[in-house]
């Protein structure tokens, strides 16, 4: 990360709505494909959305037995599973990094949905086993989006390992951006899929104290050789949002200063 860490605190939707709306209007004129695939390895693919104003990236993990999407994309009309199906025919599931609208746009296209099991996510489960997430949590009004009720095929505990067959990733709970934010760590290949926990653009902090604690925990898991991929690109939406250990350290240090009242 070659510039100062930028942090916004999620105080209210009113604060965020103005810049989000402007960016959405700018992005609406784009004519490039809805999804662009970047092959990172034989088992990991980054799927970018260059037209979308938040420049989202979702990630497809392909094991010998099954495949897993980390986030479902922001696009509500184009089917991101059709992109995944061009890469693999393995049984496909999806795990959201957190329950914000821009990571749930393609939720309705998945037959198998995983979800982190915490007291926060548990409250959305009804007696009929459908999860109903309220709009103040997923913030869908930004994109005129409604998240439909959905069933969860498998609940994942924090620190639980997901075995895709020859490929294992550990779910790490990293609250701060949201209460339910998670990352996936592939210890064998030393890869961290960070979601909205860290990425090379504006970082939105729902709880700064939790965020700093999660960053401290993350720095104990990763090392200087870890490949880190976030969920949003910076200026160039065609560039996979890769980061380094030093970047995460810089984010942690800047947030700690903000928390202590010594920086803005």
């Amino acid at each position: 990360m070659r510039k100062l860490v930028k942090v916004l605190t999620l105080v209210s939707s009113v604060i965020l709505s103005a810049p989000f709306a402007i960016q959405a209007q700018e992005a609406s004129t784009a004519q490039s494909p809805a999804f662009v695939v970047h092959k990172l390895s034989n088992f990991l693919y980054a799927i970018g959305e260059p037209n979308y104003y938040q420049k989202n990236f979702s990630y497809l993990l392909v094991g010998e037995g099954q495949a897993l999407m980390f986030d479902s994309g922001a696009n509500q009309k184009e089917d991101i599973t059709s992109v995944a199906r061009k890469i693999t025919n393995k049984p496909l599931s999806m795990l959201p990094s957190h329950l914000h609208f821009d990571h749930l746009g393609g939720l309705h296209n998945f037959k198998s949905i995983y979800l982190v099991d915490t007291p926060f996510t548990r409250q959305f489960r009804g007696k009929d086993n459908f999860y109903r997430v309220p709009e103040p949590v997923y913030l869908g009004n930004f994109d005129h989006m409604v998240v439909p009720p959905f069933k969860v095929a498998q609940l994942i505990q924090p620190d639980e390992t997901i075995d895709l067959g020859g490929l294992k990733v550990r779910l790490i709970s990293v609250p701060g951006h949201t209460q339910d934010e998670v990352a996936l760590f592939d210890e064998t290949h030393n890869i961290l899929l960070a979601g909205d926990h860290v990425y090379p653009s504006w970082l939105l902090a729902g709880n700064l104290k939790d965020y700093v604690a999660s960053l401290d925990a993350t720095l104990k898991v990763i090392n200087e050789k870890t490949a880190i991929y976030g969920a949003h690109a910076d200026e160039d939406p065609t560039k996979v949002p890769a980061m380094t250990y030093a970047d995460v350290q810089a984010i942690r240090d800047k947030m700690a200063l903000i928390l202590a009242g010594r920086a803005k």
Side-chain angles (χ1 to χ4, degrees):
M1 188 173 295
R2 295 179 175 83
K3 53 187 171 183
L4 292 176
V5 177
K6 299 163 288 187
V7 181
L8 295 176
T9 302
L10 290 174
V11 179
S12 72
S13 61
V14 176
I15 292 175
L16 289 175
S17 62
F20 272 46
I22 292 170
Q23 292 175 356
Q25 291 170 4
E26 291 173 348
S28 66
T29 60
Q31 297 298 322
S32 56
F35 302 109
V36 176
V37 176
H38 304 259
K39 185 176 180 179
L40 303 179
S41 71
N42 288 332
F43 60 85
L44 179 60
Y45 300 81
I47 303 176
E49 298 180 71
N51 292 346
Y52 187 62
Y53 63 98
Q54 293 195 62
K55 306 165 190 173
N56 280 51
F57 274 80
S58 304
Y59 294 88
L60 174 65
L61 292 151
V62 182
E64 295 175 2
Q66 54 185 308
L68 178 68
M69 282 287 306
F70 189 46
D71 286 332
S72 68
N75 197 304
Q76 302 172 50
K77 296 180 180 179
E78 302 292 333
D79 185 356
I80 198 171
T81 65
S82 65
V83 178
R85 285 293 170 225
K86 293 178 181 178
I87 298 170
T88 179
N89 61 0
K90 301 286 174 56
L92 179 65
S93 299
M94 190 281 296
L95 170 71
S97 62
H98 61 295
L99 296 172
H100 273 174
F101 67 101
D102 55 313
H103 300 262
L104 302 176
L107 177 76
H108 57 283
N109 295 310
F110 288 87
K111 296 180 180 179
S112 175
I113 298 169
Y114 292 0
L115 186 67
V116 63
D117 186 25
T118 66
F120 179 76
T121 57
R122 219 170 286 146
Q123 67 181 312
F124 307 130
R125 183 176 181 175
K127 294 181 179 179
D128 58 359
N129 291 326
F130 277 89
Y131 282 74
R132 293 173 175 85
V133 184
E135 196 282 332
V137 171
Y138 69 80
L139 305 176
N141 286 344
F142 288 128
D143 278 7
H144 307 289
M145 172 194 179
V146 176
V147 173
F150 60 92
K151 280 194 173 182
V152 172
Q154 185 171 338
L155 290 168
I156 310 296
Q157 303 301 318
D159 291 321
E160 182 177 344
T161 295
I162 303 171
D163 189 348
L164 302 175
L167 178 63
K168 296 180 180 181
V169 290
R170 179 160 59 96
L171 183 146
I172 303 172
S173 176
V174 285
H177 173 64
T178 63
Q179 295 183 54
D180 59 318
E181 182 73 39
V182 300
L184 295 178
F185 183 58
D186 175 355
E187 184 174 3
T188 300
H189 302 100
N190 202 10
I191 296 171
L192 181 74
L193 302 182
D196 275 9
H197 179 44
V198 290
Y199 55 85
S201 186
W202 291 95
L203 295 174
L204 307 178
N207 185 305
L208 200 54
K209 184 178 180 180
D210 286 349
Y211 218 136
V212 172
S214 291
L215 288 165
D216 283 335
T218 298
L219 288 166
K220 294 178 181 178
V221 172
I222 63 176
N223 55 59
E224 293 183 353
K225 294 183 179 180
T226 304
I228 305 165
Y229 301 106
H232 299 277
D234 199 357
E235 286 88 354
D236 185 355
T238 67
K239 184 178 180 181
V240 177
M243 303 182 71
T244 66
Y245 182 90
D247 292 334
V248 180
Q249 281 186 313
I251 292 170
R252 186 269 171 206
D253 291 347
K254 183 62 179 286
M255 285 197 177
L257 288 173
I258 295 171
L259 183 62
R262 303 204 304 268
K264 295 181 179 180

